[in-house]
Amino acid sequence: MKNTIYKKLSALSRLISIIVLLTLASGCIKNTLDGVEIVVNNIPAAAQINFMITDANPLSQQQTPSGLKVTISGKDAGSLYEASGLSASKVVPVNGSFSLMLISSRIPSPEKPVEFIVEASAQGFVPVRYPVTISDTGVFAYQIPIVNLTQTPEGVAAVQQGGVILNASGATVAETNINTPVKANKLENVRLQIPQGVVMRDASGNVLTGSASVTMVHHDNRAFASINSFPGGLFAPVAKINNQNIGPVTFETLGLVDLQITVGGKKVKTFSKPLLARVELNETSINPNTGKRLQVGDSLPIWSQDETTGEWTLEGMETVKTDAATGKLYTVMQITHLSPWNIDWFWFSWWWWRRNWNVCNSPSVVINSNQSGWVYYELRDLNGMWIDWGTMYLSAGQNRRWFNAQNGRNARMYIYNYSSWWYTGNQIGQSNSFSLCGGTGNMTVNFPVTTTVNVSIQGNCPNSRIVRPFLYVYYMRPGSFWWDYLGTMYDGQLSTRQLTLGQRYQFGAYYGNTWYTYTHTVSNTLYREAMALKSTNAPCR
């Protein structure tokens, strides 16, 4: 009789129902480390976190690299699990997607945020270390781009060159100059000079001999795809000056150079004398210290990143120079070890639980919206440079706060009606200018008039227990090669405005290191399903 209160199983809910049945029947839904049974109906988690790792080039016909590997590290990695009960160390991304939950005993807060690092790598792609900081409970979605060396996105250029000969003493036998390739719509490039007589060593200090191969990637600061794919992003939880952590800081970049050199498969780490990277600069960039366009003689901080810890270190200062022949602005970085090197001004966050910097109140934007749903947002300064961006769930009357905002800046927030950086849809809201140092912005968001599709699923146990699942759901738009985030099924309910009646879509979901798909033409606005569960199903026991 319980099933009679719901309509017959629909095609759209069939995909989700199949996954739910698999999770309910699974014997892997018990947390083996602390004995907590993870009932899908009421996951004992302080936060649910979804990730999608994609090619940084939105024009690529393959959204996710083959052979993608992910490692979860950092101080709170041990508090993370996959929803099926797998530990974070055993998570395998499928179609670039994987989900984590934060165990209920670890409650994140602004005073004690949860911090961990997602490391992603694949053959032919630049490895990524992505720091994640969560300061509240709830549902979170992150999109991490990874750069393909042979198909770089706008604003990124890569070069791979071998034949740098090291003699028996490990020293280069001749000077070598390597240039990033000229690329359409990319106005800045890099020339790397490897002087004669440079001795190269690995991380253990061993001298390397033979033929060295160089991989160099340059990100400019003109294109969003370039900034979006910066290794680790522009927010640095740990930033050191003279061995003292001044972080967290937010970088405002003039460009990044990621340099890797190998000899016979072994990574080079240090040099006997610096390599010289001549980096061209975007002359339209605004120097935040002067409020004016970049000028000859301006001082530029040079940073390098520790690829093991993800920490940034200020290596020194360089000045802006000009090429007498072309008039192009540039600077020269002296590279003493291999890692990502960044030309960055930096901003102290107005507040952080490790620092007693009571310099501002919390900046925020009050958002008046005619609907709720997942959206894509951007926070940009008044010169148009990106400060923050990503996916968020927007509720009517929401107050959006920034705990790590830049001190001393004015900005505007922009909201788009889709939720992926590769497909933002149309701008549907823009705030007034407000100070990130305690200011308040206001904006009105008007979603286009669309059809809302609702899906409701529950499992009924013989002992009268009702089970409602939690699940992240993706879909593929007609004609697209990429998966987009459709929404989160929470407590058995999913509501979305991103589907069009009569349109055929492919749906997908990740669970337990497996990707499930189903193709269906959406014909109704309401899909309901109730499943009779057995007493042997884990949530019913």
Side-chain angles (χ1 to χ4, degrees):
M1 293 295 294
K2 291 181 180 178
N3 283 346
T4 61
I5 64 173
Y6 286 88
K7 294 181 180 180
K8 186 178 179 181
L9 175 63
S10 71
L12 177 59
S13 61
R14 189 173 300 153
L15 162 68
I16 303 173
S17 301
I18 290 172
I19 300 170
V20 172
L21 285 171
L22 287 170
T23 65
L24 299 183
S26 171
C28 301
I29 62 171
K30 189 176 287 288
N31 182 334
T32 58
L33 293 187
D34 61 10
V36 176
E37 186 177 57
I38 302 170
V39 181
V40 181
N41 176 52
N42 185 23
I43 299 176
Q48 292 87 18
I49 314 156
N50 181 249
F51 295 91
M52 175 63 85
I53 300 174
T54 69
D55 191 314
N57 188 343
L59 301 180
S60 173
Q61 294 191 8
Q62 182 173 334
Q63 182 175 12
T64 303
S66 301
L68 178 66
K69 296 180 181 178
V70 165
T71 301
I72 310 299
S73 61
K75 72 181 186 69
D76 290 306
S79 298
L80 299 167
Y81 302 86
E82 202 272 331
S84 66
L86 295 171
S87 70
S89 62
K90 296 181 179 179
V91 167
V92 177
V94 185
N95 278 345
S97 176
F98 65 98
S99 302
L100 298 173
M101 68 178 187
L102 177 64
I103 204 65
S104 59
S105 59
R106 176 63 171 95
I107 305 297
S109 68
E111 293 75 23
K112 194 175 180 181
V114 168
E115 298 173 302
F116 61 96
I117 296 172
V118 177
E119 300 177 63
S121 62
Q123 184 67 35
F125 286 74
V126 180
V128 170
R129 290 179 57 87
Y130 189 89
V132 178
T133 300
I134 296 176
S135 56
D136 199 358
T137 58
V139 178
F140 302 87
Y142 292 91
Q143 299 163 351
I144 304 177
I146 185 169
V147 173
N148 186 338
L149 289 169
T150 60
Q151 193 178 8
T152 56
E154 182 182 4
V156 181
V159 58
Q160 295 176 288
Q161 181 172 320
V164 179
I165 305 302
L166 308 176
N167 61 25
S169 300
T172 53
V173 299
E175 179 182 301
T176 301
N177 291 284
I178 301 173
N179 298 285
T180 53
V182 176
K183 184 179 176 182
N185 300 321
K186 189 173 186 304
L187 304 182
E188 284 78 46
N189 286 288
V190 179
R191 183 181 69 208
L192 177 69
Q193 181 186 71
I194 304 176
Q196 182 180 5
V198 173
V199 177
M200 299 189 182
R201 294 181 170 86
D202 64 16
S204 299
N206 301 312
V207 171
L208 300 174
T209 62
S211 180
S213 297
V214 179
T215 299
M216 182 169 62
V217 182
H218 174 239
H219 296 249
D220 69 20
N221 73 342
R222 293 181 186 265
F224 172 75
S226 171
I227 295 175
N228 187 44
S229 57
F230 264 46
L234 297 181
F235 173 68
V238 178
K240 294 182 177 180
I241 297 179
N242 297 326
N243 292 321
Q244 297 294 317
N245 180 23
I246 61 150
V249 301
T250 302
F251 289 130
E252 181 168 345
T253 189
L254 280 170
L256 177 143
V257 177
D258 193 352
L259 184 62
Q260 302 293 330
I261 302 178
T262 59
V263 180
K266 296 181 179 180
K267 289 186 177 182
V268 175
K269 185 61 180 176
T270 60
F271 314 101
S272 60
K273 56 183 176 180
L275 310 188
L276 303 178
R278 185 183 188 274
V279 185
E280 294 179 337
L281 304 172
N282 174 6
E283 70 281 355
T284 67
S285 301
I286 302 298
N287 184 336
N289 296 323
T290 64
K292 300 178 180 179
R293 280 195 174 194
L294 199 62
Q295 298 180 20
V296 173
D298 281 356
S299 183
L300 305 176
I302 307 297
W303 298 80
S304 71
Q305 185 185 43
D306 187 310
E307 294 179 293
T308 301
T309 64
E311 299 175 354
W312 288 91
T313 298
L314 181 67
E315 297 287 351
M317 306 294 290
E318 296 291 348
T319 58
V320 177
K321 303 174 176 62
T322 186
D323 187 301
T326 65
K328 188 69 178 174
L329 299 180
Y330 72 94
T331 194
V332 177
M333 296 192 298
Q334 300 189 49
I335 297 178
T336 56
H337 57 88
L338 287 185
S339 64
W341 286 69
N342 212 348
I343 308 170
D344 284 306
W345 294 294
F346 61 98
W347 297 85
F348 291 107
S349 295
W350 73 268
W351 175 91
W352 190 250
W353 74 278
R354 297 190 188 94
R355 296 285 184 272
N356 187 23
W357 292 335
N358 296 316
V359 294
C360 298
N361 294 319
S362 172
S364 63
V365 175
V366 178
I367 306 170
N368 298 305
S369 173
N370 64 340
Q371 290 186 36
S372 297
W374 286 95
V375 297
Y376 185 81
Y377 74 90
E378 293 176 342
L379 185 69
R380 286 187 263 153
D381 69 18
L382 302 188
N383 297 311
M385 292 301 295
W386 292 272
I387 298 172
D388 187 27
W389 59 91
T391 298
M392 62 179 282
Y393 188 82
L394 175 63
S395 300
Q398 180 173 342
N399 188 334
R400 177 68 165 88
R401 301 177 65 198
W402 280 272
F403 288 108
N404 299 311
Q406 295 171 317
N407 183 355
R409 302 299 300 274
N410 288 333
R412 290 188 178 94
M413 184 180 184
Y414 304 83
I415 289 181
Y416 302 83
N417 66 326
Y418 281 81
S419 58
S420 302
W421 65 264
W422 56 88
Y423 187 72
T424 61
N426 298 316
Q427 182 180 311
I428 55 175
Q430 174 182 321
S431 77
N432 60 308
S433 170
F434 65 98
S435 170
L436 291 179
C437 192
T440 300
N442 292 276
M443 66 189 304
T444 298
V445 173
N446 291 308
F447 285 94
V449 178
T450 57
T451 301
T452 300
V453 177
N454 296 289
V455 179
S456 177
I457 292 176
Q458 75 176 42
N460 297 320
C461 298
N463 60 5
S464 299
R465 179 180 295 172
I466 295 175
V467 181
R468 298 188 179 100
F470 178 92
L471 196 67
Y472 294 95
V473 182
Y474 288 84
Y475 76 115
M476 192 175 291
R477 291 173 287 108
S480 175
F481 298 100
W482 286 42
W483 291 100
D484 284 309
Y485 184 50
L486 181 65
T488 304
M489 171 162 282
Y490 192 83
D491 199 24
Q493 308 292 319
L494 184 149
S495 180
T496 178
R497 54 178 171 73
Q498 297 181 5
L499 303 176
T500 302
L501 293 181
Q503 192 69 263
R504 190 170 180 82
Y505 298 93
Q506 189 173 5
F507 299 92
Y510 174 94
Y511 181 85
N513 292 347
T514 303
W515 183 262
Y516 300 88
T517 61
Y518 189 79
T519 302
H520 175 64
T521 300
V522 178
S523 57
N524 298 309
T525 59
L526 178 62
Y527 293 90
R528 282 182 165 179
E529 172 60 14
M531 295 167 286
L533 304 178
K534 298 179 181 180
S535 60
T536 54
N537 290 137
C540 298
R541 293 199 296 264

